[in-house]
Amino acid sequence: MKAALDSNRPIYIQIKEMIEEDILNGRLAPDEQIPSNSQLVSHYNINPVTVLKGINLLVDEGIIYKKRGLGMYVSPDAPEKLKKRFSQAFIKEQIEPLTALAKPLGFSLQEIHEMIDSAWKGEKND
């Protein structure tokens, strides 16, 4: 869990995103129990209704499921669902704007590949 929440964004969305991030990064595995509502409430000192709102979004999306009397668990297909959704968002929000800017600047596809490769390796492009 994060140490603190961002006061500029809805808290229930941040709760949802933290759980999604934990699933994507393997900190929460399929069929593993997520932190309980009371744990999240006490850790962040927030309203239980706020936590429930974020959790319910994940249930609605099929990312987590409830085991009656035991708590909430990561759905078996949650990592794949999240990878697919985040991949689509990555293409729309990062790749498409990159190509839209690169074309009028005259970069070739090979040059873009080389820039990405350098950035991937942590090299500075001057």
Side-chain angles (χ1 to χ4, degrees), residues 15-104:
I15 296 295
K16 175 186 180 282
E17 290 172 349
M18 283 187 296
I19 294 169
E20 289 174 333
E21 184 179 307
D22 284 348
I23 294 168
L24 274 174
N25 291 320
R27 291 187 290 269
L28 285 171
D31 295 313
E32 184 176 344
Q33 188 173 17
I34 68 168
S36 71
N37 290 7
S38 59
Q39 287 174 313
L40 293 168
V41 165
S42 66
H43 183 78
Y44 293 111
N45 195 28
I46 55 178
N47 188 311
V49 175
T50 302
V51 171
L52 190 57
K53 191 172 179 180
I55 297 295
N56 283 339
L57 289 174
L58 293 168
V59 171
D60 292 345
E61 294 174 8
I63 303 300
I64 61 175
Y65 65 95
K66 182 177 185 172
K67 283 189 182 179
R68 195 162 187 82
L70 297 175
M72 304 302 271
Y73 290 77
V74 177
S75 296
D77 60 348
E80 293 312 311
K81 281 183 177 179
L82 290 171
K83 284 178 189 173
K84 182 178 180 181
R85 189 177 80 215
F86 281 93
S87 292
Q88 290 168 342
F90 177 75
I91 290 167
K92 185 159 188 65
E93 296 168 9
Q94 304 296 323
I95 301 299
E96 289 175 4
L98 170 78
T99 57
L101 181 59
K103 284 179 183 178

